[in-house]
Amino acid sequence: MSVHRTIDPPAPWSPEQFEARLRAKEGGYHSHHPFNQRLNRGELQPFQVRGWVANRFYYQVCIPIKDAAVLANCPDRVTRRRWVERVLDHDGRGDHEGPNAGGIEAWVRLGEAVGLERDDLWSHRFVVPGVRFAVQAYVNFARQASWQEAAISSLTEMFAPGIHADRLRTWPDAYPWIEPAGLAYFRSRIPLASRDVEHGLEVAHDWCRTRERQQRALEILQFKLDVLWAMLDSIERAFPDDLIDERRP
């Protein structure tokens, strides 16, 4: 007679082990992408910087849409009251002037500082298909996933302060033609990203009580890293050094 033994599922990692595995994903963050590294070394031409700013703007305007999807799927009032701050951070809390204008408006000012017009940004006429596809894949994920999974996807913010600090450190010398006031977005996001990571990790630790869910969280974080990397792949191909045609911003 055969005896069937039940194999117990692996035990969950400790909170410290789980968070260490999340943070170990930093090696796939888009700060390591060759295009971003060239950008921060000052090796790009003005039209390439403008191409990056215009395409990244499409991502910026979709972030509060993603966060609104988290809110729509979340039944917990306390969580919604914390998460809504992300929408307001981007969409703003007032008009287009002053410190409460929001991150999207700050990015518009970055666009103007690199030589783009507002309509260049809001019309999305320089946005390439690969960027649209990647960003919409992210938004659709947030709409269709559980609110906890969508929240976990935002944990790429763990790595964001470093990339913003790099730009603040290198851009003034690398691109002296960019108006310094246009870099305010990067400065403002460093403390906000740290705040958002704290909340995102709370959600991850609370939801990921099994090894299966912890593994799922790592897969979700990798998906978001792939979205950001794919965006730069598309931008790099769309704005090569020798580009001379109507797509040149």
Side-chain angles (χ1 to χ4, degrees), residues 213-229:
R213 285 193 173 179
Q214 290 174 333
Q215 293 281 15
R216 175 60 177 157
L218 291 172
E219 293 170 359
I220 291 168
L221 184 55
Q222 184 61 55
F223 160 71
K224 175 61 182 308
L225 290 167
D226 289 345
V227 165
L228 296 172
W229 197 274

Side-chain angles (χ1 to χ4, degrees), residues 187-231:
R187 190 171 296 106
S188 69
R189 281 307 303 171
I190 292 176
L192 295 178
S194 299
R195 180 207 66 192
D196 291 347
V197 167
E198 181 180 356
H199 187 202
L201 286 173
E202 286 178 24
V203 173
H205 285 304
D206 186 61
W207 189 71
C208 298
R209 300 296 181 91
T210 66
R211 177 72 72 85
E212 181 181 16
R213 285 193 173 179
Q214 290 174 333
Q215 293 281 15
R216 175 60 177 157
L218 291 172
E219 293 170 359
I220 291 168
L221 184 55
Q222 184 61 55
F223 160 71
K224 175 61 182 308
L225 290 167
D226 289 345
V227 165
L228 296 172
W229 197 274
M231 288 173 60

Side-chain angles (χ1 to χ4, degrees), residues 18-235:
F18 175 45
E19 185 170 330
R21 282 169 168 79
L22 290 170
R23 292 187 180 277
K25 290 284 188 180
E26 191 276 340
Y29 192 53
H30 64 148
S31 58
H32 301 288
H33 193 286
F35 188 88
N36 181 74
Q37 293 181 338
R38 289 188 66 204
L39 175 65
N40 282 353
R41 288 197 298 263
E43 296 175 1
L44 298 187
Q45 300 174 61
F47 80 89
Q48 292 170 308
V49 176
R50 289 192 286 270
W52 176 80
V53 170
N55 276 269
R56 182 76 184 191
F57 182 71
Y58 186 72
Y59 174 81
Q60 298 301 133
V61 299
C62 288
I63 289 300
I65 298 173
K66 177 271 300 182
D67 287 322
V70 176
L71 291 170
N73 291 331
C74 180
D76 181 65
R77 182 185 180 214
V78 174
T79 299
R80 291 198 307 268
R81 289 178 66 161
R82 291 181 68 181
W83 203 270
V84 75
E85 290 295 316
R86 299 177 184 234
V87 176
L88 296 173
D89 287 343
H90 283 81
D91 280 341
R93 303 163 191 269
D95 56 24
H96 293 324
E97 301 296 332
N100 295 321
I104 291 175
E105 179 61 23
W107 199 273
V108 171
R109 294 172 187 171
L110 172 62
E112 292 174 331
V114 302
L116 291 164
E117 301 291 337
R118 282 179 174 266
D119 186 62
D120 291 331
L121 295 165
W122 284 109
S123 68
H124 304 312
R125 66 191 186 95
F126 294 120
V127 177
V128 297
V131 168
R132 289 181 186 271
F133 186 85
V135 172
Q136 287 305 314
Y138 181 40
V139 173
N140 288 334
F141 170 80
R143 287 171 172 158
Q144 297 167 12
S146 70
W147 72 265
Q148 294 97 330
E149 290 177 309
I152 288 168
S153 72
S154 73
L155 282 175
T156 49
E157 289 280 8
M158 290 187 293
F159 318 126
I163 202 170
H164 297 319
D166 287 344
R167 292 164 184 159
L168 290 168
R169 183 178 65 255
T170 63
W171 280 35
D173 290 331
Y175 304 108
W177 52 271
I178 298 177
E179 289 292 333
L183 306 183
Y185 175 86
F186 306 135
R187 190 171 296 106
S188 69
R189 281 307 303 171
I190 292 176
L192 295 178
S194 299
R195 180 207 66 192
D196 291 347
V197 167
E198 181 180 356
H199 187 202
L201 286 173
E202 286 178 24
V203 173
H205 285 304
D206 186 61
W207 189 71
C208 298
R209 300 296 181 91
T210 66
R211 177 72 72 85
E212 181 181 16
R213 285 193 173 179
Q214 290 174 333
Q215 293 281 15
R216 175 60 177 157
L218 291 172
E219 293 170 359
I220 291 168
L221 184 55
Q222 184 61 55
F223 160 71
K224 175 61 182 308
L225 290 167
D226 289 345
V227 165
L228 296 172
W229 197 274
M231 288 173 60
L232 282 185
D233 279 347
S234 296
I235 295 169

